[in-house]
Amino acid sequence: MAKTRQERPWALEAVVLLPDHLHMLWRLPEGDVDYSMRMAALKKRFTRAYLAAGGTEAWVSPGQARHRRRGLWQRRFWEHTIRDARDFHLHVDYIHLNPVKHGLARRPIDWPHSSFRRYVEMGWYEPDWSGRADLPENVEYLWTE
């Protein structure tokens, strides 16, 4: 990630790494909307390093192999442009609640692979914040994947 950020900068606002997927909230430089090149470079670098370190990948069909697909990443990614401060807060909450949503942790603080602890240090959350009860009623659109 550091090498890709050197070449194509972004600020990592929030992140959570789960066993089978990743959520990141980036702030790109003013006027730059090229998420795709960053994701492609990040996936490529990670895949090479992961496989070189002995990581394994899922089976891919011959058709996928012809298109240079690997059995590690999903083909696409989803992007969303943050509209305002409220939208930013909702997405940061969603990212930090993802391990709870998937049954991997009881509270966000219990999951070590996220930016949640950094947000606790900044005073954004209390360490025992558990999420859903604190969210507005209309946040459900974030919970559909």
Side-chain angles (χ1 to χ4, degrees):
M1 190 177 293
K3 179 71 172 163
T4 305
R5 283 175 66 185
Q6 281 180 330
E7 293 173 358
R8 295 178 170 86
W10 76 82
L12 185 61
E13 299 291 340
V15 61
V16 66
L17 175 62
L18 301 170
D20 62 351
H21 67 285
L22 166 72
H23 292 279
M24 296 184 289
L25 195 152
W26 295 347
R27 185 181 308 269
L28 299 186
E30 190 69 33
D32 185 341
V33 295
D34 197 354
Y35 298 96
S36 295
M37 289 302 291
R38 286 171 173 86
M39 282 302 298
L42 186 61
K43 286 179 175 183
K44 185 176 182 179
R45 274 199 178 94
F46 177 87
T47 299
R48 285 183 179 160
Y50 175 76
L51 295 175
T56 60
E57 56 188 312
W59 178 85
V60 295
S61 71
Q64 290 170 316
R66 277 193 302 277
H67 288 88
R68 298 178 27 184
R69 303 275 190 273
R70 304 296 303 255
L72 195 56
W73 293 97
Q74 65 188 30
R75 181 174 175 206
R76 300 186 43 91
F77 67 94
W78 285 264
E79 66 181 75
H80 168 78
T81 300
I82 299 296
R83 295 180 304 268
D84 53 29
R86 181 177 179 281
D87 196 32
F88 180 85
H89 286 261
L90 289 173
H91 280 80
V92 171
D93 286 350
Y94 174 80
I95 286 169
H96 292 140
L97 283 168
N98 221 253
V100 176
K101 173 187 174 189
H102 291 286
L104 299 167
R106 193 174 56 81
R107 304 169 304 161
I109 196 80
D110 298 331
W111 188 253
H113 311 293
S114 85
S115 53
F116 183 78
R117 294 165 195 260
R118 178 170 52 105
Y119 275 82
V120 169
E121 290 171 9
M122 295 185 318
W124 183 299
Y125 299 112
E126 293 296 321
D128 62 346
W129 182 77
S130 60
R132 284 190 182 226
D134 301 338
L135 293 176
E137 291 177 22
N138 61 351
V139 75
E140 287 303 312
Y141 76 96
L142 290 173
W143 291 91
T144 58
E145 290 187 308

